[in-house]
Amino acid sequence: MKIFGFDILPSTNTFAVEHFDSFENQDIIMAETQTAGKGRKGRKWSSETGGLYFTIILKPSEINAEKASSLTQIMAVAVCKTVRNLGAGAYLKWPNDVLYKGKKFCGILSEAVVSGTSFKGLVIGVGVNIEQKNIVSEKPFISLADIGVKVSKTVLLEEIFSNFQSVQKQNFINEFKKLCPTINKEIVVDGKKGIFEDIDNAGRMILKTEKGREVIMAGDVQF
Ligand code: BTN
């Protein structure tokens, strides 16, 4: 693994996708600030100085869409464990947000890299609010500094990377469930009410509704 650090980039994810072939598996692209940080669903990711913004290049030997979504959730588990090891009660919101007391401090955006019809790999972009003051977002956000966690970017990145390696060797679904407080609770996901009964081996939600069980690939959970 090598880390390629930049002062400023439009987006570490965009850079990783555009230069995918020049990097090796597990290489990391990091930027101090991003001018066009991307969030999920086409949202912007506020990327002022003081946050950690990086993208890891993944060229797994067995590449398929299921493995790709698992790796994204493995990254969420890795970030959550890292922050818990630093003393804060972080937890996971399915499918891959990391929160503290209902407020988000980390977002993860994965993008598949394709050439024609073949899947070449995946980039996983991670943004962690460490100590930036002016986070622009429509949703409640918090930074690690606000919750009493003092950590340098280098240590945070090293710990996340190391946990990312170890969680890949574990049963990540069990690890995810241990860190996800809404398991077995009543929730609403994209307007559908039910009990969040389980997470299957592909990381999908099993929701028990009045009409029966539904398998949900992605969605916005409220509880
Ligand atoms: C989300 O909407 O929750 C995902 C946010 C992902 C942000 C990170 S910051 C590093 C990487 N580069 C980007 O442009 N986005 C991701």
Side-chain angles (χ1 to χ4, degrees), residues 56-186:
I56 183 161
I57 306 261
L58 294 171
K59 302 183 175 184
S61 45
E62 283 170 48
I63 302 172
N64 58 44
E66 196 169 291
K67 173 130 189 173
S69 85
S70 303
L71 285 163
T72 310
Q73 281 176 316
I74 289 170
M75 180 59 85
V77 172
V79 174
C80 191
K81 283 191 164 194
T82 302
V83 174
R84 288 177 81 91
N85 291 342
L86 291 166
Y91 60 90
L92 293 170
K93 182 179 173 202
W94 184 89
N96 54 35
D97 280 337
V98 196
L99 276 75
Y100 178 89
K101 292 191 176 162
K103 294 183 177 167
K104 186 162 156 175
F105 62 83
C106 168
I108 301 175
L109 177 70
S110 293
E111 295 182 57
V113 184
V114 290
S115 165
T117 52
S118 68
F119 191 39
K120 294 204 304 188
L122 179 75
V123 304
I124 302 184
V126 181
V128 184
N129 305 330
I130 303 182
E131 56 180 6
Q132 62 275 55
K133 295 276 170 261
N134 304 312
I135 300 167
V136 183
S137 168
E138 41 197 81
K139 297 221 168 156
F141 268 67
I142 201 161
S143 70
L144 294 184
D146 294 333
I147 60 179
V149 172
K150 277 202 179 135
V151 64
S152 72
K153 274 185 213 175
T154 325
V155 169
L156 187 62
L157 177 59
E158 278 169 10
E159 292 298 309
I160 292 173
F161 184 76
S162 147
N163 280 319
F164 183 64
Q165 303 305 318
S166 51
V167 179
Q168 284 184 64
K169 295 182 197 121
Q170 296 172 327
N171 178 330
F172 84 91
I173 299 291
N174 279 348
E175 297 305 301
F176 194 106
K177 287 200 278 193
K178 281 189 223 158
L179 297 167
C180 181
T182 48
I183 281 278
N184 291 320
K185 301 252 164 64
E186 189 171 83

Side-chain angles (χ1 to χ4, degrees), residues 10-14 34 36-41 43 45 47 52-55 97 104 106-109 111 124-128 141:
S11 149
T12 54
N13 267 32
T14 306
Q34 302 181 113
K38 298 188 284 187
R40 290 203 301 265
K41 298 184 181 164
R43 294 189 195 114
W45 184 260
S47 309
L52 174 66
Y53 313 108
F54 75 90
T55 298
D97 280 337
K104 186 162 156 175
C106 168
I108 301 175
L109 177 70
E111 295 182 57
I124 302 184
V126 181
V128 184
F141 268 67

